[in-house]
Amino acid sequence: MLLSNSWIALALVAVIQVVTAQVPNPTPNPAPNPDLHFAPVSNQRSTSYQYVENQLPTTPQTHEVIMVTGSSVMLISQLSNSVLLKASVDANGVVKDVGAFQIGSPNSRLHGLVNSQVYPGQVWVTLQEDNILLRIDPKVNDILAPPTIEQIIRIQEDLEGCKAADGTGVGCKGPHYVGEYGDELWTTLQDSSHVLRINHKFPSNYAVYKAQPRPIFIAKHPVNNMFYTGQDNSASVMKIDPTTGVTTQIPIPGSAGQTPVGMVSGPNGIWFTLLGTNTSGTGTFGHIGADDTIKYHKLNSTWGKDASLLHLGMDPDMGASHTVWLLSSSIIYTKALDSVIKVVFDPTYQTIVKEEVTALPTQECKAHRIWLTPTAVFATELTSAKVFAWTVLKSQKDSGDQAPSSASSLPLSHSLSLFAVTAWALLPAIFNL
């Protein structure tokens, strides 16, 4: 046993001599070229973004979306089962909790949503099938608390102006969109092709305007104070003079496109989208000036030039950002790209200077509505029951922690010396075997 241990010791000494031998110096490299060096350059980069697709309770049709004023609570209308969703949303656009509440019957067709300015924190909603406008308190402090109904305005089908003088025609039916302008509500009656103005404090004060098929949205011009509505089955925009009651049809030329849908008030006028047809989109949206002149803007990017534009919104900081956000949808043209499109204009909003197209993760979802906050862009997906969120990626501070060095990161000569020291330390244990 002693002899065996002696041989082991001699073998280890030989190994130690080998691994501790001086590593030969490599051939010296030529002197570096003094003209070849690393020079600092700009490290600026564009903003990074993050995207989230929030799954909602499943239903065939998820429609409108708004963020309740002064809160982080989002309201979403699901028309196919007349359910209102309340969702708490964090700074990254992630839906944390959801409350679901049916209003009326499953066939009441809950649809339009708009924040009230007259009643802060409350919301106007439409029940399209029941012919009702509601003012609700969504109870944003408790996601699971049912909203309360604060006011009901029933739209009578036989309101004056709903039918022809001889009593023929379709009565007023189907409130789709509702907008609040002081004491007045303006709502598009999609099912009967009317527009209704009604005083929410004195509902007997109203006016009905006959439209062409079918009025979808309505907006007030910021310069001439007229009201405009897009009629998606007529390739025409109707102008309403609220003082005289006179209506004027403004046709959409076929060269620009057809199917006016989304419509909002924005810089210097009314902005609207053209959806196109069931076989193509045109990537075109328009601006109506104070004299009713329409300037059409055509997208030119690869994924924008044929977009089927359904909805739009003005950037909350539009005075500085000069940005319009568009929503492309596969709602009628199934091959259209469902996407959010950021369009940056020059300061006069006359010329497009930049386009950014972001495809939604779920395609053929019939993207439906867009909603903007100072920090996020949201879009509902009609058939997939999802809300897409697009937010600026928050910068993360360096924690200052450094990864520990590993033996493999040490110089080769140091690694060999470390092996030799370890072997010497093991000798006593070997002789005690």
Side-chain angles (χ1 to χ4, degrees):
M1 185 64 178
L2 180 61
L3 181 61
S4 175
N5 287 344
S6 298
W7 280 108
I8 293 173
L10 290 173
L12 278 173
V13 169
V15 170
I16 292 168
Q17 288 176 343
V18 171
V19 299
T20 58
Q22 182 66 34
V23 178
N25 291 327
T27 303
N29 290 325
N33 185 342
D35 296 327
L36 184 63
H37 62 277
F38 286 97
V41 296
S42 173
N43 62 355
Q44 292 185 355
R45 57 179 180 158
S46 59
T47 305
S48 297
Y49 304 102
Q50 59 185 358
Y51 312 101
V52 177
E53 239 186 359
N54 296 286
Q55 183 64 59
L56 304 172
T58 303
T59 191
Q61 293 189 31
T62 297
H63 277 251
E64 313 295 324
V65 56
I66 65 170
M67 194 73 74
V68 179
T69 303
S71 78
S72 59
V73 172
M74 176 182 291
L75 298 185
I76 303 154
S77 64
Q78 295 189 313
L79 180 141
S80 45
N81 54 1
S82 197
V83 166
L84 179 70
L85 301 179
K86 285 168 55 177
S88 60
V89 182
D90 69 13
N92 296 315
V94 177
V95 171
K96 308 301 290 186
D97 297 294
V98 176
F101 311 92
Q102 189 172 88
I103 177 66
S105 75
N107 299 318
S108 292
R109 295 171 69 197
L110 169 68
H111 205 158
L113 302 169
V114 69
N115 283 302
S116 173
Q117 295 181 339
V118 177
Y119 307 95
Q122 298 187 18
V123 174
W124 291 100
V125 307
T126 68
L127 299 182
Q128 190 164 339
E129 184 65 28
D130 292 351
N131 240 22
I132 288 175
L133 306 177
L134 295 177
R135 177 165 54 86
I136 67 169
D137 180 347
K139 302 297 181 183
V140 296
N141 293 328
D142 185 351
I143 291 298
L144 300 181
T148 58
I149 297 174
E150 304 298 319
Q151 185 178 359
I152 301 175
I153 299 177
R154 300 183 185 276
I155 301 172
Q156 303 300 320
E157 292 187 24
D158 58 354
L159 289 176
E160 183 179 352
C162 290
K163 295 185 178 182
D166 60 2
T168 61
V170 178
C172 289
K173 291 182 180 180
H176 173 274
Y177 171 80
V178 62
E180 181 193 77
Y181 299 89
D183 291 346
E184 294 182 337
L185 300 177
W186 286 73
T187 182
T188 51
L189 304 180
Q190 183 185 42
D191 299 343
S192 64
S193 295
H194 293 93
V195 172
L196 172 66
R197 175 199 59 78
I198 190 165
N199 189 302
H200 56 79
K201 293 184 176 178
F202 302 98
S204 59
N205 180 354
Y206 69 89
V208 176
Y209 309 92
K210 182 59 180 174
Q212 294 182 6
R214 299 174 311 170
I216 304 298
F217 290 97
I218 194 163
K220 183 179 181 180
H221 201 290
V223 180
N224 65 21
N225 295 319
M226 301 295 166
F227 285 82
Y228 295 78
T229 182
Q231 300 154 122
D232 67 350
N233 282 357
S234 303
S236 182
V237 171
M238 184 171 77
K239 171 187 173 182
I240 304 171
D241 186 328
T243 302
T244 65
V246 174
T247 63
T248 305
Q249 291 291 335
I250 306 172
I252 306 296
S255 58
Q258 62 187 65
T259 318
V261 186
M263 179 170 284
V264 297
S265 177
N268 308 315
I270 298 294
W271 296 75
F272 66 95
T273 60
L274 294 177
L275 180 59
T277 69
N278 60 2
T279 59
S280 67
T282 61
T284 303
F285 59 108
H287 171 269
I288 305 175
D291 61 354
D292 294 343
T293 299
I294 300 180
K295 179 179 176 61
Y296 292 97
H297 299 280
K298 179 76 171 67
L299 299 177
N300 292 308
S301 60
T302 301
W303 297 107
K305 62 183 180 181
D306 297 320
S308 296
L309 302 178
L310 179 68
H311 201 221
L312 78 167
M314 308 308 300
D315 193 270
D317 192 24
M318 59 186 176
S321 68
H322 315 122
T323 297
V324 178
W325 295 85
L326 305 170
L327 187 67
S328 175
S329 176
S330 59
I331 190 167
I332 63 172
Y333 176 41
T334 57
K335 294 182 179 180
L337 185 72
D338 290 289
S339 62
V340 170
I341 305 174
K342 179 182 179 181
V343 181
V344 181
F345 280 83
D346 73 309
T348 66
Y349 277 90
Q350 294 296 310
T351 304
I352 295 175
V353 298
K354 185 179 181 181
E355 300 173 27
E356 293 181 13
V357 179
T358 301
L360 302 189
T362 300
Q363 286 298 300
E364 298 183 356
C365 67
K366 300 183 179 181
H368 205 62
R369 295 291 180 260
I370 195 168
W371 182 264
L372 306 168
T373 73
T375 59
V377 179
F378 297 95
T380 56
E381 301 177 9
L382 183 79
T383 57
S384 64
K386 296 176 183 178
V387 170
F388 173 78
W390 182 104
T391 59
V392 175
L393 183 65
K394 306 296 185 298
S395 60
Q396 298 181 358
K397 296 181 179 179
D398 183 4
S399 65
D401 295 335
Q402 296 182 354
S405 298
S406 62
S408 62
S409 67
L410 296 174
L412 178 60
S413 59
H414 289 183
S415 298
L416 295 176
S417 298
L418 180 61
F419 179 83
V421 171
T422 303
W424 274 113
L426 288 174
L427 280 175
I430 294 173
F431 281 110
N432 289 329
L433 288 177

